[in-house]
Amino acid sequence: MQESRWQSGPVDTANISPVRLQQLYNDVHHPLFLPDADNSPPPYSSVDDPPSRWWDDGAKNILCGHNLKDIELVCRFRTYSDDNLPRKILRIRPPAVLSSFFLSLHGGDRQTVDDLSMNQKVEGIMEKLAPPLTSTLDPLDIQELHELLQKEDVSQSASSLNEASCSAFKRIPFSDWFRSARDPYEVVDLVDHFFDWHGSLQDIVEENPNEMGKYCQMEKLLPECSPARWAVSQGLRRNTDVPPPCHKLIIDELRIFVTRQHQNYVAAVRPLAVLELRFRRMFLNEEEVDWSQRFWTDVDFFEQITTTPPLEIADRLTKLDLKELRLVPPQEFIDDGHRLQHVHKRCNRLCEAIQESIVFESQLLRPLAYLAKELHARRNFHSLIPTLQALRESGFDESVLPELFPLTNTDRNYSCYRQAYEKAPSVPFLPPHMRQVTHCQETGLSQIYSFLAYMNPKSLVQNLGEESSVQNLGKQEGLHHQKQRSRALTWTKLLRLHVARYRKRTK
């Protein structure tokens, strides 16, 4: 198959340093956690050791192991170049191991399974681990494409083009997008067919300059950032240098993930299941694809919740929440500025990341419940309430945390939360305060910025040391409350001055 001009070609990772790749990754993502310094060597560093080889070698190690769940992930996403690799490795495994895998996947009687031949066991295992793809590849019908463009009603023609484009896109599983990103030289039929279809659309537009007025009108009617609109636009302008939006949103993002510096192979494979859930939620579960949204591949929260104690995660979230809120000036809360929008997006992403992690690994419910308790102990409502909302939507038993879930009640503008928030300086959950800002700017802003007097209750106790007496504890708390009152008074004056200037400027 000829390489489609829609494809931007393989990324030369040999000429891009791992540090630069991480910078590119951070430029397009806003991580949920502060990045940690990592001076470990990259898994690959030259043309002789490309990322695809690292993935191939890791797949062999997993397939030779005994963790059936990891083997199933390797086979599902086909992280290897040779499609026969799992069968080759399974055929050299001991018969007892094959019988155990077969029983875990199919069930049945041990004696009956032991009597099966080696090929029967291997094929039975592969039937479950890597079932054949059900999507059939239709031949590229150029005549049908001409008929779609020749409809008299331009709006109907644009609608039909977009439906055909969405249909071709939704037939491509996430594993095929990953394979295309992992090894740009590998031929992935469904992905190549998708690019060829839109490349043919671009050719037809270029070859019919007499229909330029119709195609210009069609371009305006097609959804913004859709591949069909891109193909028509490039046909009108005869420009083939810019990759299509879908290619930029998905394959380039996955290439960044493929070339990232992972701790080990298992830490790279397991997040693929989380990314697959995210891909389905963003693109496949909706009737119409929203081409404008960017597919992000960071799995910071999943990596943290599976490797780090909830206490440390709560500290990191609190530290980052305070850092971001301090960067939002008062005017942003009035005008809904871009920094405030970034804070809201990060809050929503935390909720989505928790849901994705629970769907993949239900055993994470227990550490997530501990995380909610630690966030509450630190009075960090900014991350606590999204965590509780994600647990509720995932079917978590609310009776396990009866004192926390009432905070998510939206009655009377989150009255339960606001009562708890007013007891002491806390990291605020913004939606109820934003409603107050719309009615009374000074009161609403004063309540939001009371977090500037916040001090982590956990760190306050830890800083006292084990030998501190009750008298020292009272003295420390007294100094802490004096600082709180001083900060609150200072910021109340500044907020009043800011609101007065804003009113004077708007008159």
Side-chain angles (χ1 to χ4, degrees):
M1 180 181 294
Q2 295 181 352
E3 183 179 357
S4 171
R5 58 179 172 163
W6 264 57
Q7 302 188 39
S8 60
V11 175
D12 186 8
T13 54
N15 297 327
I16 305 178
S17 67
V19 175
R20 177 56 183 156
L21 284 171
Q22 189 64 40
Q23 290 175 349
L24 293 173
Y25 179 80
N26 292 334
D27 288 342
V28 298
H29 296 88
H30 302 286
L32 291 171
F33 298 94
L34 293 173
D36 297 325
D38 188 358
N39 298 321
S40 57
Y44 47 84
S45 57
S46 66
V47 177
D48 297 330
D49 189 20
S52 58
R53 180 176 296 180
W54 183 81
W55 285 89
D56 285 338
D57 294 342
K60 294 176 184 178
N61 295 332
I62 294 294
L63 291 170
C64 291
H66 296 272
N67 191 321
L68 188 58
K69 188 171 183 179
D70 290 339
I71 294 175
E72 190 260 336
L73 290 175
V74 168
C75 293
R76 189 204 307 179
F77 298 110
R78 290 172 169 81
T79 60
Y80 39 81
S81 301
D82 183 5
D83 287 339
N84 290 322
L85 179 64
R87 284 182 171 83
K88 292 178 182 177
I89 294 180
L90 286 174
R91 288 193 178 104
I92 63 175
R93 301 295 299 270
V97 174
L98 294 179
S99 298
S100 299
F101 287 169
F102 192 96
L103 286 171
S104 299
L105 295 170
H106 293 275
D109 180 59
R110 179 80 186 194
Q111 184 61 40
T112 304
V113 174
D114 289 339
D115 293 339
L116 297 175
S117 66
M118 180 191 67
N119 285 334
Q120 288 176 324
K121 293 178 184 178
V122 170
E123 293 304 320
I125 293 171
M126 291 304 300
E127 180 184 352
K128 289 289 186 179
L129 293 182
L133 297 176
T134 57
S135 298
T136 57
L137 193 62
D138 298 331
L140 192 62
D141 192 347
I142 304 299
Q143 183 61 33
E144 182 181 355
L145 197 54
H146 274 284
E147 293 176 358
L148 291 177
L149 291 171
Q150 294 301 324
K151 291 183 178 181
E152 295 182 1
D153 188 350
V154 179
S155 61
Q156 185 178 359
S157 181
S159 177
S160 299
L161 277 177
N162 187 56
E163 289 179 5
S165 177
C166 290
S167 177
F169 176 81
K170 290 188 174 183
R171 291 168 53 194
I172 306 175
F174 173 78
S175 58
D176 280 8
W177 289 111
F178 171 74
R179 293 177 68 190
S180 183
R182 181 187 62 83
D183 187 358
Y185 296 102
E186 183 177 357
V187 176
V188 184
D189 292 337
L190 288 175
V191 176
D192 290 344
H193 182 269
F194 179 78
F195 291 140
D196 290 341
W197 190 91
H198 291 84
S200 300
L201 174 59
Q202 179 178 337
D203 290 337
I204 295 173
V205 174
E206 288 181 354
E207 294 168 358
N208 294 275
N210 297 331
E211 302 286 341
M212 184 173 294
K214 178 180 179 180
Y215 294 147
C216 288
Q217 187 178 358
M218 187 182 300
E219 177 188 9
K220 297 177 181 179
L221 294 173
L222 287 167
E224 189 176 358
C225 300
S226 66
R229 178 170 180 169
W230 186 92
V232 174
S233 301
Q234 300 306 306
L236 290 171
R237 295 166 179 78
R238 291 177 172 80
N239 183 2
T240 60
D241 298 333
V242 182
C246 181
H247 187 275
K248 192 68 178 175
L249 291 173
I250 299 175
I251 291 187
D252 285 359
E253 283 289 320
L254 287 173
R255 283 177 182 169
I256 293 175
F257 175 83
V258 167
T259 52
R260 275 186 69 191
Q261 185 172 332
H262 300 284
Q263 293 180 354
N264 52 60
Y265 192 79
V266 174
V269 171
R270 289 181 178 176
L272 286 175
V274 177
L275 294 179
E276 183 182 37
L277 293 170
R278 186 178 301 165
F279 180 81
R280 290 176 181 173
R281 174 178 52 81
M282 293 178 66
F283 297 108
L284 303 185
N285 292 343
E286 301 294 334
E287 294 184 4
E288 294 186 4
V289 179
D290 182 6
W291 301 108
S292 62
Q293 56 184 341
R294 182 164 191 141
F295 180 69
W296 42 282
T297 56
D298 65 84
V299 284
D300 300 336
F301 183 84
F302 176 78
E303 293 172 349
Q304 292 286 334
I305 197 63
T306 54
T307 59
T308 308
L311 185 143
E312 295 184 19
I313 297 177
D315 284 335
R316 294 185 184 184
L317 283 173
T318 304
K319 182 179 179 181
L320 186 55
D321 291 342
L322 287 170
K323 179 181 178 181
E324 287 195 337
L325 287 172
R326 289 191 178 106
L327 294 176
V328 182
Q331 188 66 38
E332 295 258 343
F333 290 100
I334 299 172
D335 299 337
D336 193 20
H338 69 280
R339 290 179 181 173
L340 181 62
Q341 292 177 4
H342 167 67
V343 172
H344 288 316
K345 288 180 181 178
R346 184 178 166 275
C347 195
N348 293 333
R349 282 183 52 193
L350 174 62
C351 185
E352 293 171 354
I354 293 174
Q355 291 177 322
E356 293 167 350
S357 303
I358 293 174
V359 171
F360 173 65
E361 186 62 75
S362 59
Q363 296 179 353
L364 293 176
L365 286 172
R366 186 179 181 86
L368 286 170
Y370 281 119
L371 174 62
K373 291 182 179 179
E374 292 296 336
L375 289 171
H376 184 254
R378 288 157 178 75
R379 300 189 60 79
N380 182 0
F381 297 105
H382 186 76
S383 293
L384 171 62
I385 294 183
T387 302
L388 294 174
Q389 291 172 341
L391 288 173
R392 172 179 288 169
E393 294 177 6
S394 301
F396 183 78
D397 185 6
E398 297 184 17
S399 62
V400 177
L401 301 172
E403 72 282 4
L404 299 185
F405 274 99
L407 297 172
T408 62
N409 192 341
T410 60
D411 292 344
R412 298 168 56 193
N413 193 23
Y414 292 89
S415 61
C416 293
Y417 153 72
R418 288 188 290 108
Q419 290 176 5
Y421 178 78
E422 293 171 358
K423 291 181 180 179
S426 310
V427 187
F429 176 63
L430 294 180
H433 300 293
M434 293 302 298
R435 295 190 186 96
Q436 289 181 319
V437 169
T438 58
H439 293 91
C440 183
Q441 292 177 1
E442 184 175 349
T443 303
L445 291 173
S446 298
Q447 289 184 354
I448 292 174
Y449 278 95
S450 65
F451 78 87
L452 293 168
Y454 170 82
M455 179 178 285
N456 191 336
K458 291 285 184 178
S459 63
L460 176 63
V461 177
Q462 293 171 359
N463 292 336
L464 294 177
E466 296 181 357
E467 299 180 357
S468 296
S469 62
V470 176
Q471 183 179 0
N472 290 333
L473 176 62
K475 186 183 297 183
Q476 184 75 11
E477 288 182 343
L479 293 173
H480 172 56
H481 289 307
Q482 288 180 8
K483 291 180 180 179
Q484 286 182 351
R485 286 194 295 269
S486 177
R487 290 180 182 177
L489 289 173
T490 301
W491 275 94
T492 299
K493 294 178 181 178
L494 290 175
L495 287 170
R496 287 176 179 171
L497 179 62
H498 172 81
V499 172
R501 288 177 178 175
Y502 177 79
R503 290 174 179 171
K504 183 178 180 180
R505 191 166 57 249
T506 55
K507 285 183 178 180

